[in-house]
Amino acid sequence: MNVKIFFCLILSLLFVSDTKAQQIFQVNDNLYKTREIKKTLPLSKESNIKIQAAMGLSGSIKIETTEEDVATIIYVKKAKHKSKSKAIDFIDIISVEFELTHNGLRLDLRAPNPAPWSETNNSGSVEVLLIIPEFCNLEFDAQAFDIDAEGPFDSFILPTSYGRIYLENVVNKVEITSTNRKVTARNLSGSVYISTSHATLQVDKVYSPQNKIELRNDRGDIKISDIKGELNVKNSYGRIDVRKYHPMGSYNYIRSSNGPITIEIDEFSTNKLLVTNSYEDIEILIPDNISSQISLAVEEGNKIEVSDITTKPDFIQSNRLNLIAGEGKATINSSVRGHGNIYFRGFSKGE
């Protein structure tokens, strides 16, 4: 009899705990949410963390780091529907699984596929705050989520995203492929590949002298500042703006079409810099003490302007200019196809 009473008591406590976890609050006429739900697990630094979300589920994931050997998740489930009972049904079919694996941690944000709110004005979503030890490796399969992550992380891999992305402080590897949403990344080192489209790509403070920095966009601006490394940039129908640039390595390549290119170079340590454009201007500002062979070319009817730098002419035509600056150790090639001009300007490092 005592065992039976004890068993019933345990079931009762579990039911109360689950009910409390699923307590629903009304935010406005059509939006409902749970209270904050918190879970904690032990986790060591440099662990591998996999975050996976169902295709029909959206929301936000914010990631922070701690010096402690523990991982904490705090989350809220939300549903939008004019009917409270339907909103509660939506919340009930969203689940968050947070568990240890053999080499780290796995976070699963689950919902049916297709979700009952698919192709309607209704929605089900999750807002997640994940706090993890420093220098972990992050990998995502969460396409519809906005991600805000501030390390230090060892690596950050996001193969496909339709959400807004903010990333800061990664020491070894970054791979991001996004579509139609803004991507902002700061304080990176190691290998870097970031791509988006129809939105601004902004990258600041990258130190990667031994690795490539590859940036891609289509119909959106690329804004770059304080970059040291081997840079490979490609864009179309958007501006490329590079400031505080120190090209390093063997080959730096910046190319665009139908969008202007502006480059301000602080120091010059590369063997070759190639800048090409189609149907828009190129402007290059460079230290006047460089040692380089310079080749500039435009199509007939367009112009090349060179100013504030001492060079020796090597080849001169109306639409092509080859110059030698200093001892001519490195190579700078710049060309415009179609309508567009080249402005090549020197400046003194003391300015």
Side-chain angles (χ1 to χ4, degrees), residues 1 3 21 37 76 91-92 121 149 159 204 212 309 315-316 329:
M1 178 66 68
V3 172
I37 303 167
V76 173
I91 287 173
D92 285 342
N121 292 327
D204 302 314
K212 291 185 178 180
I309 186 168
F315 182 82
I316 299 176
K329 291 182 179 180

Side-chain angles (χ1 to χ4, degrees), residues 54-230:
M55 288 289 292
L57 192 60
S58 62
S60 64
I61 301 172
K62 183 177 177 62
I63 304 174
E64 300 174 354
T65 59
T66 176
E67 295 181 356
E68 300 177 359
D69 290 335
V70 65
T72 301
I73 181 173
I74 302 169
Y75 66 92
V76 173
K77 298 192 286 184
K78 292 185 175 182
K80 179 183 175 184
H81 200 286
K82 63 182 180 180
S83 165
K84 181 177 180 179
S85 62
K86 285 291 187 181
I88 292 173
D89 289 343
F90 288 175
I91 287 173
D92 285 342
I93 61 174
I94 298 170
S95 66
V96 177
E97 303 292 334
F98 186 58
E99 59 185 3
L100 295 174
T101 63
H102 70 283
N103 61 355
L105 185 72
R106 183 182 181 94
L107 173 60
D108 277 330
L109 310 175
R110 297 177 178 173
N113 186 19
W117 53 79
S118 297
E119 300 182 1
T120 71
N121 292 327
N122 306 312
S123 66
S125 63
V126 185
E127 292 182 358
V128 175
L129 169 60
L130 180 62
I131 304 170
I132 58 175
E134 297 176 332
F135 303 108
C136 287
N137 299 285
L138 287 166
E139 184 178 355
F140 295 82
D141 183 5
Q143 299 181 12
F145 278 74
D146 292 340
I147 297 173
D148 186 332
E150 186 171 346
F153 310 119
D154 188 63
S155 64
F156 185 97
I157 310 298
L158 179 61
T160 306
S161 177
Y162 304 104
R164 179 191 55 80
I165 300 164
Y166 178 90
L167 173 63
E168 186 168 346
N169 201 354
V170 183
V171 299
N172 187 44
K173 185 176 184 180
V174 174
E175 290 184 6
I176 297 173
T177 302
S178 178
T179 303
N180 299 331
R181 296 300 299 273
K182 183 178 181 179
V183 178
T184 303
R186 294 190 171 98
N187 297 316
L188 311 178
S189 58
S191 173
V192 176
Y193 176 89
I194 305 176
S195 172
T196 191
S197 63
H198 297 86
T200 299
L201 170 56
Q202 183 168 343
V203 180
D204 302 314
K205 295 184 180 179
V206 181
Y207 180 75
S208 189
Q210 306 299 325
N211 297 278
K212 291 185 178 180
I213 305 162
E214 298 185 64
L215 306 177
R216 304 283 184 269
N217 204 346
D218 182 25
R219 300 179 187 274
D221 293 344
I222 298 179
K223 299 179 180 180
I224 306 168
S225 177
D226 202 359
I227 301 291
K228 296 182 180 180
E230 188 170 320

Side-chain angles (χ1 to χ4, degrees), residues 220-221 235-241 254-262 275-283 336 339:
D221 293 344
N235 197 12
S236 58
Y237 295 95
R239 177 183 296 274
I240 296 176
D241 194 330
I254 298 173
R255 49 190 163 168
S256 186
S257 64
N258 298 281
I261 299 174
T262 301
V275 184
T276 66
N277 206 352
S278 301
Y279 305 102
E280 262 291 0
D281 294 347
I282 295 173
E283 182 178 6
V336 177
H339 179 73

Side-chain angles (χ1 to χ4, degrees), residues 310-321:
T310 301
T311 60
K312 295 182 293 184
D314 185 49
F315 182 82
I316 299 176
Q317 284 186 338
S318 61
N319 63 329
R320 183 176 173 184
L321 189 60

